[in-house]
Amino acid sequence: MTTVTMTVNGKTVSGEVEDRTLLVEFIRENLELTGTHVGCDTSQCGVCVIHMDGKAIKSCTTLAVQASGSQITTIEGLATGDELHPVQKAFKEHHGLQCGFCTPGMVMAAVDMINRLGPNLDEATIRHELEGNLCRCTGYHNIVKAIKAAADEMAALPQAAE
Amino acid sequence: MSNEGIGARVLRKEDKRFITGAGRYTDDMVLPRTGYAAFVRSPHAHARIKGIDASAALAMPGVDAVLDGNQLVGDGIGNIICGWMIHSKDGSPMKMGAWRALEPEVVRFVGQAVAVVVADTLKQARDAAEAVVVDYEELPAVVDSLDALKEGAPQLHPEAENNLIFDWEIGDEAATNDAFSKAAHITRMDIDNNRLVPNPMEPRSALASYDRAEEHYTLYTTSQNPHVARLVLSAFYNVAPEHKLRVIAPDVGGGFGSKIYIYPEEIVCLWASKRVGRPVKWTSDRTEAFLTDAHGRDHHSTAELALDADHKIIGFRVNTVANLGAYMSLFSSSVPTYLYATLLSGQYDIPAIYANVKAVYTNTTPVDAYRGAGRPEATYLVERMMETAARELNLSPAEFRRKNFVRQFPHQTPVIMCYDAGDYDASLDAAMKAIDYEGFPARRAQSEAQGKLRGIGMSCYIEACGIAPSKAVGSLGAGVGLWESAEVRVNPVGTVEVLTGSHSHGQGHETTFAQLIAERFGLPTDNVSIVHGDTDKVQFGMGTYGSRSGAVGMSAIVKALDKVEAKAKKIAAHLMEASEGDITIEDGEVKVVGTDKKLSFTEVALAAYTGHNLPEGMEPGLKEGAFYDPTNFTFPAGTHICEVEVDPDTGKVTVVGFVAADDFGKIINPMIVEGQVHGGLTQGIGQALLENASYDEDGQLLSASYMDYTMPRADDVPSYVVETTETICPGNPLGMKGCGEAGAIGAPPAVINAVTDAIGTNNMQMPASPARVWMALQSAGLKQAAE
């Protein structure tokens, strides 16, 4: 067992974990933040995407001990109080979700995409950048629209919202 | 009139919890003292179990119990059943082999559960499951349905000689043969429909607990139909009587059919929770999902289409072998029969149809309904045949279809279905216009100039939704009625709760169902909540599948609303001393027509509950329930047109344009309907180009992970153009037809018709992978060179 300490959504947390404990298990089971999901066992589907030190990662292929000392943001920490992040708002406004299971990972990946590449994203870039996130409900059509709309909105903001 | 009523693009009420990570799915549920289950699964496709040694596993830390099939059978847990009786053409009943939730004797597919470990943590349970030693005697396996019917094939079940479950027929064989004897042209094809894995993003999960004092079970599970789950668990699997079993399906992350059925794992978790005296939780990993979620499709067919000299279809003859896998899943027998062969008339006026369907056991995962369920298989067959016939006769694909469209309604087909309404020209016109069909030759020339092959293909599909009239399906073998129920509760403060037997797992019922109340009473949808997915809360229900929640589920709500409205009007008339016939309800107000007299909806609701001043003899309260049993299937139909570009060097197909023009009847929320179409199309394109459940000859599933099974990704599909045309369904009060499955039904033949148009050779099975397309181009080239 190892003690891990990290900052999750602005709060310092620590816990005792087996060395083999995955970051997603620590987040879901120890911290009871169940917005981050598990959808596969080969790091393909992206429903577990969170931000570690400002970058999107798959928390199903990261050990909790690797994340010790890092800054973590999960879907629960994306909004500022009641003010939703522009990407969250856009997913609702453009019907970019149906069952909602892939949504947290999609939103976190989209925020990272906009942070990384800047807000001037075209459809082909968005589709390519989503290769690590699967959705079985929406056919991606409205997810792509939502990300484009959020990027456009964020371009108009003085700085990126995260 | 409220702006949130029928036809409004109301944003979804349910979204906030999902975009903030506050959704509550089964695996998110936590109960005190929960033990975790890990299943010991067969690595063999067919093997006799000679013994199970659990001693090492039992000695491992945290392990509570290792349970096997002998204990399960000993405790009287019943076999898993198929709930739809099909009779062979000789009158004999289908041959159902025994399926136990934990198999004690012979395993018949890779992944079948033989034992379960319950431990303090999931890691402990999984470690211990690996330490359970099962002594198997391997038996020869068969995976392809045609091989399974051959003499000398390995035999799966003693009940089913030659692995044949049933040999069923529909239509008039003599009349069809007669049509073929008079045909001017006959088109013949061998057509396969590839096996798919549904793959909702949320894996199946179950959390079961047992209250020893009350002798009562609670099951949280990933179900599309919690009441049916409870019914089957109670009546057939003997877990507990219905009043001692509560089934809760909370947020469910997609289903596509795969979460209709009650699987071994849910049964075992319930049974084990009593055995070990603690709640038991199991969540599928993705590999388990590939191995154990019911698969879809898997048909081999031969089809023949007979035309007269005027290119009118005079006969259609089909032979299909359907692979049902190792066991008969809950609805499996209905899929390749009444959900398939009854749609073989397509959108066309065909005087004679005959179909023979053989259903077969193989050493593969059981096959059942997956988005479309039988109708994609029928549509693929019909629309590949139509395209091929048009090509053989050098006819325009659109004109050949038009020549044969049904235009008089109601139209009785030779295969049971009676189409009630439709306008197939309208959707074909809309689709051709939207994709600029006339501009295709120019686009093809442009592609050619860049060294690419461009093709265009259409499919004019029809499906039967809104399943289904109980009496009709009963006469066809269904073990249940397929009505739906609803209860509308107006609270004393005038807010409304609707309890529905439909289940939402992505469809947006919390919004669309609330729009009905907005439409009827002019109340904001924020004043309405939809309650579903809990057998303790909702009266009863048959669940969500077969695009039935609109046409059947919402019709039940409408019936209950009729009663609520009538009672509210009586109360209002009494309070305002007016005639009941002069009362209207709009914008949240109850008014006397032609006067300025009015009450707020809240005042009427409150009056109903105070009971201080009600009409003589009226019961207090404002809450009504209704059961709605449909009078017919509904018949959504439309035209899908796909345009592809093929890279001849690699064989890669790119979908460069896709138009869907669908007639869903009355639409409640266009935004949600379009979303359903987008998702269905992507699954249909996935089937046509990417997806395949691929078994090796020993019965190992080669594509059992996302590394191997090609799920459609964002850059595999285009943005879609979705159009709707409208003919009102006369069979239900809202005029709705259903939209959930259309995309998955219409898309595959449109894509393959486009691919074969591009590459200039008609022989192509799904998925049209780069390797297959490249091979087809090479062999066409070789053939050309040889000539």
Side-chain angles (χ1 to χ4, degrees), chain A residues 104-116:
Chain A
M106 280 284 177
V107 168
M108 297 309 282
V111 171
D112 176 72
M113 188 192 307
I114 298 167
N115 286 346
R116 220 162 9 89

Side-chain angles (χ1 to χ4, degrees), chain B residues 299-331:
Chain B
H299 284 192
H300 291 299
S301 296
T302 59
E304 299 166 286
L305 193 69
L307 307 179
D308 69 12
D310 188 34
H311 307 142
K312 291 276 287 179
I313 305 166
I314 55 173
F316 192 28
R317 196 158 54 194
V318 175
N319 271 291
T320 294
V321 178
N323 188 341
L324 294 195
Y327 297 95
M328 294 190 76
S329 177
L330 189 66
F331 285 170

Side-chain angles (χ1 to χ4, degrees), chain A residues 24-50:
Chain A
V24 69
E25 294 168 342
F26 181 70
I27 291 170
R28 286 182 57 81
E29 289 156 30
N30 294 53
L31 306 182
E32 297 180 340
L33 292 170
T34 55
T36 303
H37 297 146
V38 179
C40 75
D41 30 42
T42 53
S43 200
Q44 306 281 304
C45 78
V47 304
C48 66
V49 170
I50 57 144

Side-chain angles (χ1 to χ4, degrees), chain B residues 547-760:
Chain B
S547 306
R548 67 190 305 274
S549 298
V552 188
M554 289 176 94
S555 294
I557 297 172
V558 167
K559 264 187 87 176
L561 277 173
D562 289 343
K563 298 183 194 175
V564 168
E565 182 179 344
K567 186 168 181 183
K569 283 180 170 173
K570 279 198 175 76
I571 295 169
H574 175 75
L575 293 173
M576 293 189 279
E577 296 175 340
S579 156
E580 202 183 310
D582 291 337
I583 305 289
T584 60
I585 308 179
E586 55 188 29
D587 298 330
E589 292 178 331
V590 188
K591 302 171 180 170
V592 183
V593 178
T595 73
D596 58 359
K597 282 205 246 180
K598 63 182 181 185
L599 294 167
S600 71
F601 192 73
T602 300
E603 286 173 298
V604 176
L606 192 62
Y609 283 94
T610 61
H612 295 164
N613 184 13
L614 292 176
E616 190 61 35
M618 180 184 274
E619 291 176 15
L622 193 52
K623 178 195 92 153
E624 300 287 347
F627 284 67
Y628 174 79
D629 201 350
T631 54
N632 190 2
F633 289 86
T634 66
F635 297 97
T639 295
H640 292 180
I641 303 181
C642 176
E643 201 165 313
V644 299
E645 205 173 59
V646 177
D647 183 337
D649 294 334
T650 62
K652 182 168 165 46
V653 176
T654 304
V655 178
V656 292
F658 203 110
V659 166
D662 302 296
D663 178 357
F664 298 135
K666 181 63 81 183
I667 287 171
I668 307 300
N669 184 326
M671 177 191 82
I672 284 175
V673 167
E674 287 160 16
Q676 288 289 313
V677 175
H678 299 153
L681 292 178
T682 302
Q683 289 180 8
I685 292 171
Q687 167 163 30
L689 296 179
L690 303 166
E691 298 180 38
N692 196 49
S694 180
Y695 280 93
D696 74 6
E697 59 188 15
D698 298 325
Q700 294 294 334
L701 182 58
L702 301 176
S703 51
S705 83
Y706 286 155
M707 302 282 281
D708 310 290
Y709 186 92
T710 322
M711 288 279 279
R713 290 168 192 271
D715 60 0
D716 290 318
V717 292
S719 281
Y720 302 108
V721 178
V722 176
E723 307 262 334
T724 53
T725 58
E726 183 185 280
T727 59
I728 295 300
C729 175
N732 60 66
L734 291 163
M736 300 176 72
K737 298 187 182 181
C739 67
E741 297 161 291
I745 292 168
V751 174
I752 297 299
N753 288 340
V755 171
T756 51
D757 181 51
I759 64 176

Side-chain angles (χ1 to χ4, degrees), chain B residues 749-774:
Chain B
V751 174
I752 297 299
N753 288 340
V755 171
T756 51
D757 181 51
I759 64 176
T761 164
N762 197 42
N763 187 18
M764 180 55 61
Q765 301 285 10
M766 297 188 291
S769 60
R772 273 192 181 147
V773 172
W774 187 84

Side-chain angles (χ1 to χ4, degrees), chain B residues 156-172:
Chain B
L156 267 77
H157 294 281
E159 296 87 351
E161 199 182 336
N162 298 323
N163 299 315
L164 183 65
I165 300 168
F166 55 74
D167 180 0
W168 175 87
E169 64 178 358
I170 190 169
D172 187 333

Side-chain angles (χ1 to χ4, degrees), chain B residues 30 98 110 114 123 129 169 201 210 215 224 229 299 328 352 426 455 469 483 518 553 608 640 647 675 710 739:
Chain B
V30 177
V110 172
V114 298
K123 288 185 174 64
E169 64 178 358
M201 292 314 299
Y210 178 68
E215 299 177 347
Q224 299 177 217
H299 284 192
M328 294 190 76
W483 43 264
H640 292 180
D647 183 337
T710 322
C739 67

